[in-house]
Amino acid sequence: MDQVPDDVDVTVTVVRSGGFAGLRRQWVAAPPPADRPRWVALIDDCPWDEVASGDEAPREDADADGAPTPPPDADRFVWRIDVRRGADERDVRLPETRLHGPWRQLVDEVQAFEEEREGRA
């Protein structure tokens, strides 16, 4: 995704599901035009090309044939990250064990954005 003109909306939605109780939680960030360059940089820092749209990130715990092995802990979260920039859309699902680096930073920023918007920060 390239730089976005000021008149194009940027929205990032993060959904966390699973865990012990199977609960679902959602956060949304729709930054104003002045903040969009920083958000575009956060989005572009994520390794989108390493995962297919809507697919789970490649598993490090796959067997020799690439078939995924069962997760070691069934009570872990799964994170879905959906990005919309005008007509351009990207989404990915990541298991809790793969939510680190730029993905973690993007999720943290979306959560902080919503908490600030709701006056909880």
Side-chain angles (χ1 to χ4, degrees):
M1 292 183 176
D2 294 322
Q3 190 68 357
V4 176
D6 287 345
D7 62 339
V8 174
D9 289 333
V10 175
T11 304
V12 183
T13 303
V14 172
V15 178
R16 182 189 71 195
S17 60
F20 178 71
L23 299 177
R24 182 179 183 275
R25 176 89 194 269
Q26 178 173 303
W27 299 266
V28 178
D35 293 341
R36 288 185 188 146
R38 185 176 70 81
W39 282 87
V40 168
L42 285 168
I43 293 163
D44 288 344
D45 284 346
C46 293
W48 295 96
D49 294 335
E50 293 179 14
V51 292
S53 179
D55 288 344
E56 195 169 288
R59 295 184 63 115
E60 294 170 352
D61 56 346
D63 67 17
D65 296 325
T69 58
D73 185 355
D75 293 333
R76 294 197 182 249
F77 291 115
V78 174
W79 297 81
R80 181 175 180 100
I81 303 168
D82 179 61
V83 174
R84 298 179 190 276
R85 289 196 237 179
D88 195 5
E89 298 180 25
R90 290 186 180 190
D91 63 280
V92 66
R93 285 183 319 214
L94 299 169
E96 179 179 1
T97 57
R98 297 294 308 269
L99 189 69
H100 52 78
W103 296 116
R104 177 83 253 177
Q105 185 176 3
L106 181 59
V107 167
D108 288 347
E109 290 291 330
V110 173
Q111 291 171 326
F113 182 93
E114 185 158 304
E115 286 177 4
E116 183 177 310
R117 183 179 59 108
E118 293 177 354
R120 292 186 289 167

